[in-house]
Amino acid sequence: MTAPTINGTRYPQPIEDLLPAARALDLPDGEAFPSRNRLMREFRIGAPKAGELLTLLKAEPAAPPADISDPATSDPAPAPAAPEATPPVVPDPTPAPEITPAEPVEQVAPVSRPDTPAPPALARSAVVWPVVLLALPAFVAIWSGWVGLGGLTGFGIVHPLPGIWDSFSINSAITLPIGVETYGAYALYVWLSGRVPERARRFAKWSALGSLAIGALGQVAYHLLEAAGITSAPWWITTAVACLPVAVLGMGAALAHLVRTHD
């Protein structure tokens, strides 16, 4: 005999519903109660629940033995009552509560230790207009010194467009202050800017210092020659001054190339 169906469902059944079916199990001769393993197998329940069911079966009072002397008058043993069918479990139609996502936690700025020095506040940038005021007299002195030295070393009026514009003339002495001093200022800016590759910064540093030194020597040479009443500079001064435009062109092209590299 197999165990009766309990409620026709696979859901776990309470002990009270399993107890009548456990009583109705067909037991072998010599056994008063089913084993726990059989209860687990028949009703598909776990060991704790089967142990509890077996304890309830053993706690029930034993039925009085039937009187076999008078079989006609003895009442037959009542058939075990079938367990009442329990209606199947209907799922709850109430929708599951909507889970609200947690609000993001605002990040808190780290608090520095009391003995940690605070970073210095950004200072206002210095004004640059006084540089223009300082540059005006220096420009006049430097310009006149280079133009005068150019006149002593062979620089003068030239006609750069012969046959095209014969009346057009220019004093080639102005190439000295424009080339030397402009390159010195540009190289100084590149050196101090800190926004160029290291090779370009190093080249700009030394070429700027050299350009400023050459500019100072040119001013000294002109004033010494002018004070001595010399109208024509010595050959070595003329040679050095004549090479300045070419040197400035080469250094300017090299610095422009280094500034654009990514080394």
Side-chain angles (χ1 to χ4, degrees):
M1 176 180 180
T2 59
T5 304
I6 306 301
N7 296 338
T9 177
R10 294 183 179 180
Y11 290 102
Q13 302 298 317
I15 296 295
E16 294 78 11
D17 295 339
L18 296 175
L19 189 57
R23 287 197 212 99
L25 290 177
D26 188 14
L27 301 178
D29 296 335
E31 289 186 10
F33 304 99
S35 64
R36 187 181 66 171
N37 293 338
R38 184 177 180 186
L39 293 176
M40 293 170 58
R41 186 175 59 256
E42 294 287 347
F43 302 112
R44 297 182 181 179
I45 57 178
K49 198 168 185 178
E52 184 180 357
L53 181 59
L54 182 59
T55 303
L56 293 177
L57 288 175
K58 291 180 179 182
E60 291 181 349
D67 187 3
I68 59 175
S69 60
D70 189 3
T73 59
S74 60
D75 294 333
E84 296 182 0
T86 304
V89 179
V90 180
D92 189 1
T94 306
E98 199 174 311
I99 300 176
T100 305
E103 297 182 359
V105 180
E106 183 178 0
Q107 294 185 355
V108 181
V111 180
S112 59
R113 296 177 54 185
D115 55 349
T116 303
L122 296 177
R124 294 180 57 187
S125 57
V127 295
V128 296
W129 64 264
V131 178
V132 178
L133 185 61
L134 294 173
L136 288 177
F139 173 77
V140 174
I142 293 172
W143 184 276
S144 60
W146 275 118
V147 171
L149 183 61
L152 297 177
T153 55
F155 289 83
I157 302 298
V158 295
H159 298 275
L161 299 174
I164 300 176
W165 189 359
D166 294 334
S167 61
F168 175 71
S169 61
I170 188 172
N171 192 338
S172 60
I174 65 173
T175 59
L176 297 175
I178 293 177
V180 176
E181 304 304 332
T182 301
Y183 176 80
Y186 174 65
L188 188 64
Y189 167 76
V190 172
W191 169 32
L192 299 178
S193 66
R195 295 180 294 179
V196 296
E198 183 59 28
R199 290 180 57 194
R201 186 171 179 269
R202 187 165 54 249
F203 182 85
K205 171 185 176 181
W206 293 113
S207 61
L209 295 177
S211 180
L212 294 177
I214 292 174
L217 291 176
Q219 298 300 314
V220 171
Y222 167 70
H223 287 287
L224 289 177
L225 293 174
E226 188 69 20
I230 300 176
T231 58
S232 179
W235 68 268
W236 53 273
I237 294 181
T238 302
T239 302
V241 173
C243 293
L244 286 180
V246 180
V248 169
L249 176 62
M251 290 189 297
L255 182 58
H257 174 73
L258 292 175
V259 167
R260 293 178 177 273
T261 59
H262 300 282
D263 298 338

